[in-house]
mmCIF file of all heavy atoms in Angstrom:
data_model
loop_
_atom_site.group_PDB
_atom_site.id
_atom_site.type_symbol
_atom_site.label_atom_id
_atom_site.label_comp_id
_atom_site.label_asym_id
_atom_site.label_seq_id
_atom_site.Cartn_x
_atom_site.Cartn_y
_atom_site.Cartn_z
ATOM 1 N N MET A 31 -31.044 9.650 -39.778
ATOM 2 C CA MET A 31 -30.376 9.718 -38.471
ATOM 3 C C MET A 31 -30.688 11.034 -37.759
ATOM 4 O O MET A 31 -30.814 11.071 -36.538
ATOM 5 C CB MET A 31 -28.872 9.531 -38.627
ATOM 6 C CG MET A 31 -28.492 8.112 -38.995
ATOM 7 S SD MET A 31 -26.722 7.880 -39.217
ATOM 8 C CE MET A 31 -26.148 8.019 -37.537
ATOM 9 N N ILE A 32 -30.826 12.117 -38.522
ATOM 10 C CA ILE A 32 -31.188 13.404 -37.932
ATOM 11 C C ILE A 32 -32.608 13.326 -37.373
ATOM 12 O O ILE A 32 -32.872 13.771 -36.253
ATOM 13 C CB ILE A 32 -31.071 14.540 -38.964
ATOM 14 C CG1 ILE A 32 -29.616 14.727 -39.378
ATOM 15 C CG2 ILE A 32 -31.651 15.840 -38.416
ATOM 16 C CD1 ILE A 32 -29.420 15.650 -40.564
ATOM 17 N N LEU A 33 -33.502 12.734 -38.144
ATOM 18 C CA LEU A 33 -34.881 12.581 -37.679
ATOM 19 C C LEU A 33 -34.939 11.706 -36.426
ATOM 20 O O LEU A 33 -35.685 11.991 -35.498
ATOM 21 C CB LEU A 33 -35.752 11.979 -38.786
ATOM 22 C CG LEU A 33 -35.972 12.850 -40.006
ATOM 23 C CD1 LEU A 33 -36.731 12.071 -41.071
ATOM 24 C CD2 LEU A 33 -36.706 14.120 -39.648
ATOM 25 N N ARG A 34 -34.141 10.651 -36.395
ATOM 26 C CA ARG A 34 -34.123 9.762 -35.230
ATOM 27 C C ARG A 34 -33.598 10.497 -33.995
ATOM 28 O O ARG A 34 -34.140 10.345 -32.889
ATOM 29 C CB ARG A 34 -33.267 8.526 -35.526
ATOM 30 C CG ARG A 34 -33.192 7.561 -34.380
ATOM 31 C CD ARG A 34 -34.533 6.920 -34.104
ATOM 32 N NE ARG A 34 -34.388 5.982 -33.013
ATOM 33 C CZ ARG A 34 -35.285 5.789 -32.062
ATOM 34 N NH1 ARG A 34 -36.417 6.433 -32.102
ATOM 35 N NH2 ARG A 34 -35.073 4.936 -31.109
ATOM 36 N N ALA A 35 -32.543 11.297 -34.172
ATOM 37 C CA ALA A 35 -32.008 12.069 -33.045
ATOM 38 C C ALA A 35 -33.069 13.030 -32.515
ATOM 39 O O ALA A 35 -33.230 13.174 -31.295
ATOM 40 C CB ALA A 35 -30.752 12.828 -33.473
ATOM 41 N N ARG A 36 -33.791 13.680 -33.395
ATOM 42 C CA ARG A 36 -34.870 14.587 -32.966
ATOM 43 C C ARG A 36 -35.944 13.829 -32.202
ATOM 44 O O ARG A 36 -36.440 14.281 -31.178
ATOM 45 C CB ARG A 36 -35.489 15.286 -34.170
ATOM 46 C CG ARG A 36 -34.597 16.318 -34.790
ATOM 47 C CD ARG A 36 -35.286 16.948 -35.969
ATOM 48 N NE ARG A 36 -34.391 17.865 -36.658
ATOM 49 C CZ ARG A 36 -34.680 18.438 -37.804
ATOM 50 N NH1 ARG A 36 -35.833 18.207 -38.398
ATOM 51 N NH2 ARG A 36 -33.820 19.252 -38.384
ATOM 52 N N GLN A 37 -36.296 12.661 -32.717
ATOM 53 C CA GLN A 37 -37.327 11.852 -32.068
ATOM 54 C C GLN A 37 -36.869 11.423 -30.671
ATOM 55 O O GLN A 37 -37.649 11.475 -29.715
ATOM 56 C CB GLN A 37 -37.632 10.625 -32.929
ATOM 57 C CG GLN A 37 -38.701 9.737 -32.375
ATOM 58 C CD GLN A 37 -38.901 8.501 -33.226
ATOM 59 O OE1 GLN A 37 -37.936 7.905 -33.691
ATOM 60 N NE2 GLN A 37 -40.144 8.125 -33.424
ATOM 61 N N LEU A 38 -35.611 11.010 -30.546
ATOM 62 C CA LEU A 38 -35.094 10.607 -29.245
ATOM 63 C C LEU A 38 -35.141 11.760 -28.246
ATOM 64 O O LEU A 38 -35.504 11.576 -27.086
ATOM 65 C CB LEU A 38 -33.662 10.086 -29.389
ATOM 66 C CG LEU A 38 -33.527 8.720 -30.034
ATOM 67 C CD1 LEU A 38 -32.072 8.432 -30.381
ATOM 68 C CD2 LEU A 38 -34.090 7.639 -29.126
ATOM 69 N N ARG A 39 -34.780 12.958 -28.704
ATOM 70 C CA ARG A 39 -34.825 14.133 -27.817
ATOM 71 C C ARG A 39 -36.266 14.403 -27.362
ATOM 72 O O ARG A 39 -36.500 14.702 -26.200
ATOM 73 C CB ARG A 39 -34.265 15.355 -28.518
ATOM 74 C CG ARG A 39 -32.766 15.368 -28.531
ATOM 75 C CD ARG A 39 -32.246 16.763 -28.784
ATOM 76 N NE ARG A 39 -30.812 16.750 -28.788
ATOM 77 C CZ ARG A 39 -30.053 16.808 -27.692
ATOM 78 N NH1 ARG A 39 -30.612 16.896 -26.522
ATOM 79 N NH2 ARG A 39 -28.750 16.781 -27.771
ATOM 80 N N GLN A 40 -37.216 14.302 -28.289
ATOM 81 C CA GLN A 40 -38.621 14.543 -27.943
ATOM 82 C C GLN A 40 -39.131 13.520 -26.932
ATOM 83 O O GLN A 40 -39.990 13.819 -26.124
ATOM 84 C CB GLN A 40 -39.500 14.517 -29.193
ATOM 85 C CG GLN A 40 -39.304 15.707 -30.093
ATOM 86 C CD GLN A 40 -40.113 15.592 -31.378
ATOM 87 O OE1 GLN A 40 -40.576 14.518 -31.748
ATOM 88 N NE2 GLN A 40 -40.262 16.708 -32.067
ATOM 89 N N GLN A 41 -38.583 12.316 -26.989
ATOM 90 C CA GLN A 41 -39.001 11.255 -26.070
ATOM 91 C C GLN A 41 -38.269 11.329 -24.738
ATOM 92 O O GLN A 41 -38.510 10.519 -23.853
ATOM 93 C CB GLN A 41 -38.758 9.886 -26.705
ATOM 94 C CG GLN A 41 -39.616 9.628 -27.912
ATOM 95 C CD GLN A 41 -39.218 8.354 -28.639
ATOM 96 O OE1 GLN A 41 -38.167 7.766 -28.383
ATOM 97 N NE2 GLN A 41 -40.059 7.927 -29.560
ATOM 98 N N GLY A 42 -37.335 12.286 -24.619
ATOM 99 C CA GLY A 42 -36.595 12.434 -23.374
ATOM 100 C C GLY A 42 -35.363 11.556 -23.284
ATOM 101 O O GLY A 42 -34.774 11.425 -22.214
ATOM 102 N N SER A 43 -34.972 10.934 -24.376
ATOM 103 C CA SER A 43 -33.779 10.079 -24.400
ATOM 104 C C SER A 43 -32.566 10.894 -24.838
ATOM 105 O O SER A 43 -31.944 10.625 -25.863
ATOM 106 C CB SER A 43 -34.004 8.901 -25.348
ATOM 107 O OG SER A 43 -35.119 8.150 -24.944
ATOM 108 N N THR A 44 -32.241 11.889 -24.038
ATOM 109 C CA THR A 44 -31.168 12.820 -24.398
ATOM 110 C C THR A 44 -29.810 12.133 -24.572
ATOM 111 O O THR A 44 -29.102 12.434 -25.535
ATOM 112 C CB THR A 44 -31.093 13.958 -23.365
ATOM 113 O OG1 THR A 44 -32.377 14.573 -23.288
ATOM 114 C CG2 THR A 44 -30.078 15.012 -23.766
ATOM 115 N N PRO A 45 -29.388 11.221 -23.667
ATOM 116 C CA PRO A 45 -28.074 10.582 -23.869
ATOM 117 C C PRO A 45 -27.978 9.821 -25.202
ATOM 118 O O PRO A 45 -26.967 9.901 -25.896
ATOM 119 C CB PRO A 45 -27.941 9.628 -22.679
ATOM 120 C CG PRO A 45 -28.855 10.193 -21.642
ATOM 121 C CD PRO A 45 -29.994 10.813 -22.409
ATOM 122 N N GLN A 46 -29.052 9.115 -25.555
ATOM 123 C CA GLN A 46 -29.050 8.377 -26.821
ATOM 124 C C GLN A 46 -29.019 9.346 -28.003
ATOM 125 O O GLN A 46 -28.354 9.084 -29.003
ATOM 126 C CB GLN A 46 -30.270 7.453 -26.922
ATOM 127 C CG GLN A 46 -30.242 6.299 -25.961
ATOM 128 C CD GLN A 46 -30.850 6.632 -24.612
ATOM 129 O OE1 GLN A 46 -31.082 7.784 -24.272
ATOM 130 N NE2 GLN A 46 -31.107 5.611 -23.815
#
Side-chain angles (χ1 to χ4, degrees):
M31 289 179 71
I32 294 170
L33 293 174
R34 180 67 179 142
R36 289 180 185 172
Q37 181 183 41
L38 287 168
R39 281 200 180 277
Q40 289 175 343
Q41 294 172 348
S43 301
T44 304
Q46 291 88 346

